[in-house]
């Protein structure tokens, strides 16, 4: 490359062979080659994930021989359970070269709010779990937001929102139905106290 010093620093973009000739007292050495091998920087890829609150996500990275996550883990797949939307980063290593860090966002959707309102009558109860954008599945098998029950017991409902997150709630009701009361007729005889005229 035209340099004449004993030591040179090179920055090849690809594998390159450099040739050097030594000279002493007018004598010239045979050419000697030095090959600088340039390993490519690994390109890694990791997907994002979306979960519901309380769930876990598995993040998998590809493109390198080994990895280091921002969590400290070194596997190619890790399981995370964030409480809120979180960004994880990972760096890949191959042949001594490090990749640019890659980011993976795990979005956490909240669970739907569910509360059962109860309107108890004497012989039945109305259970209402209405919420916007929800689908319903009651323990009775019904799928409407409002149901009517005629027996005492515990009833539960599972709701699902547009993000496919689910939540459940249950209520226990006691129905007091009209009861026929049988009245016994009791005959009461009133008599004066005995009087002794003697």
């Amino acid at each position: 490359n035209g340099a004449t010093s004993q030591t040179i620093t090179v920055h090849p973009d690809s594998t390159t062979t450099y040739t050097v000739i030594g000279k002493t007292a007018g004598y010239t050495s045979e050419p000697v080659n030095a090959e600088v091998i340039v390993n490519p920087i690994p390109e890694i890829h990791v997907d994002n994930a979306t979960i519901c609150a309380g769930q876990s996500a598995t993040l998998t990275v590809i493109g390198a021989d080994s990895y280091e996550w921002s969590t400290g883990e070194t596997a190619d797949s890790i399981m995370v359970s964030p409480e809120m939307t979180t960004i994880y980063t990972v760096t890949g290593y191959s042949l001594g070269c490090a990749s640019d860090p890659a980011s993976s966002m795990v979005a956490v959707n909240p669970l739907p709010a569910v509360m059962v309102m109860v309107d108890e009558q004497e012989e039945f109860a109305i259970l209402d779990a209405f919420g916007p954008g929800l689908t319903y599945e009651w323990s009775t098998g019904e799928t409407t937001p409002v149901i009517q029950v005629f027996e005492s017991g515990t009833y539960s409902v599972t709701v699902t929102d547009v993000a496919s997150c689910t939540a459940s709630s249950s209520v226990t009701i006691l129905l007091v139905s009209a009861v026929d009361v049988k009245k016994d007729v009791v005959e009461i005889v009133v008599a004066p106290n005995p009087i002794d005229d003697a």
Side-chain angles (χ1 to χ4, degrees):
N1 63 358
T4 58
S5 60
Q6 183 178 4
T7 302
I8 64 173
T9 300
V10 294
H11 302 278
D13 293 328
S14 59
T15 297
T16 303
T17 299
Y18 297 87
T19 301
V20 59
I21 298 174
K23 293 181 180 181
T24 300
Y27 294 95
T28 301
S29 73
E30 293 292 329
V32 175
N33 294 330
E35 184 181 43
V36 178
I37 298 175
V38 179
N39 292 320
I41 295 175
E43 294 184 6
I44 60 174
H45 303 278
V46 60
D47 291 333
N48 298 320
T50 300
I51 60 174
C52 301
Q55 293 181 339
S56 299
T58 298
L59 305 180
T60 301
V61 60
I62 59 173
D65 296 329
S66 61
Y67 305 94
E68 184 176 359
W69 294 84
S70 54
T71 61
E73 296 171 274
T74 56
D76 57 354
S77 292
I78 64 171
M79 182 174 291
V80 293
S81 303
E83 296 179 358
M84 62 185 68
T85 297
T86 304
I87 295 178
Y88 299 88
T89 59
V90 58
T91 301
Y93 299 90
S94 293
L95 301 174
C97 300
S99 71
D100 293 328
S103 297
S104 174
M105 183 176 72
V106 179
V108 180
N109 291 320
L111 299 181
V114 54
M115 182 173 62
V116 179
M117 305 296 293
V118 179
D119 181 10
E120 289 192 32
Q121 305 296 322
E122 190 173 88
E123 297 183 353
F124 65 91
I126 298 174
L127 308 183
D128 185 350
F130 176 77
L134 300 177
T135 59
Y136 306 85
E137 184 174 351
W138 292 88
S139 54
T140 61
E142 296 169 274
T143 57
T144 56
V146 181
I147 66 171
Q148 196 174 52
V149 296
F150 297 89
E151 296 180 0
S152 298
T154 300
Y155 297 87
S156 62
V157 61
T158 299
V159 299
T160 304
D161 63 14
V162 293
S164 297
C165 295
T166 62
S168 299
S169 182
S170 62
V171 294
T172 300
I173 62 172
L174 178 63
L175 297 178
V176 181
S177 300
V179 177
D180 292 334
V181 178
K182 294 183 179 180
K183 298 181 180 179
D184 292 330
V185 178
V186 178
E187 183 178 356
I188 300 176
V189 178
V190 179
N193 291 329
I195 298 174
D196 189 357
D197 294 332

